[in-house]
């Protein structure tokens, strides 16, 4: 699957053409190591020098190469977004797993199946708190939102009606709560007390219809 | 979207009842329930082949049960 999506140029504020795709390979995982990691380290050093190391988002040390065994699992689906020949964001979702994370917890839909967003990450040059310390603007905005839309569409396509659930890292809670409008349900003691968010079908539709 | 292929699935009455009940509980079509079962089977099988073990745990009775496929 390859389809055009629009993201926003961080400098001009204009929409630019990007591509959403699901044929993720090990090469994409290696790209996150080769191109994303050095920038994260550079920004980390600056933040540390400024005494603001606590500003470093907690998802910047993910190692996508560890996800390689899941590339061919039926229960796992990867999405990526490229623009100007570079990977701008990547996510992995699960339609089924053995941890119970594909079950709704929100009382109105408890026990029903949902699509679990396992990991979602945008390239470091698209993260404001990383680019600011090195004196640069973010390259693109809206990458995370497009990946969330892809997850919702996949949830609908797979029969989950848009129901989505995820564990949010602390630094991402504002994104899921305020920008996506997801419902914070509970802290999960099984997952480092991370906050569990859900979308109902109506909320998912509202998100797709929004202008984020 | 992946191209889907069609097959006929013959089930006994009791199997169909279970499928219908799971379909109702999970708010999924019967086809999706079967696809979910296949995904889970593959996931568990792959991990067991890698040498991992699957346990069910009852936190109240502090009892763990090994599951073998």
């Amino acid at each position: 699957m390859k389809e055009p999506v629009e993201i926003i140029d961080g400098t001009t504020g204009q929409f630019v053409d990007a591509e959403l795709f699901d044929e993720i390979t090990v090469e994409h995982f290696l790209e996150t190591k080769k191109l994303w990691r050095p920038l994260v380290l550079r920004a980390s050093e600056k933040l540390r020098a400024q005494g603001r190391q606590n500003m470093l988002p907690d998802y910047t040390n993910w190692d996508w190469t560890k996800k390689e065994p899941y590339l061919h699992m039926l229960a796992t689906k990867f999405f990526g977004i490229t623009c100007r020949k570079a990977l701008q964001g990547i996510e992995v979702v699960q339609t089924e797993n053995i941890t119970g994370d594909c079950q709704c917890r929100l009382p109105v839909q408890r026990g029903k199946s949902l699509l679990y967003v396992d990991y979602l990450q945008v390239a470091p040059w698209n993260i404001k708190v990383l680019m600011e310390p090195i004196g640069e603007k973010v390259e693109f905005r809206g990458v995370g939102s497009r990946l969330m839309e892809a997850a919702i569409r996949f949830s609908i396509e797979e029969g989950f009606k848009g129901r989505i659930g995820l564990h949010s890292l602390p630094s991402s809670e504002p994104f899921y709560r305020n920008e996506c409008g997801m419902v914070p349900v509970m802290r999960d003691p099984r997952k480092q007390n991370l906050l569990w968010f859900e979308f109902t079908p109506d909320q998912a539709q509202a998100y797709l219809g929004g202008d984020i | 979207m992946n191209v889907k292929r069609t097959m006929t699935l013959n089930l006994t009455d009791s199997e169909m009842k279970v499928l219908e009940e799971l379909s109702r509980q999970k708010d999924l079509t019967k086809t999706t329930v079967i696809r979910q079962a296949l995904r889970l089977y593959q996931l568990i099988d792959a991990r067991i082949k890698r040498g991992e073990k699957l346990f069910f745990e009852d936190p109240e009775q502090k009892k763990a049960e090994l599951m073998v496929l």
Side-chain angles (χ1 to χ4, degrees), chain A residues 74-75, chain B residues 32-44:
Chain A
L74 295 174
Chain B
T32 305
V33 172
I34 294 293
R35 294 176 69 205
Q36 290 286 86
L38 182 60
R39 289 161 175 163
L40 188 59
Y41 196 170
Q42 186 205 29
L43 188 65
I44 292 171

Side-chain angles (χ1 to χ4, degrees), chain A residues 135-146:
Chain A
E136 291 181 30
K137 282 188 171 177
V138 294
E139 201 166 326
F140 298 108
R141 290 187 283 119
V143 177
S145 301
R146 297 294 91 81

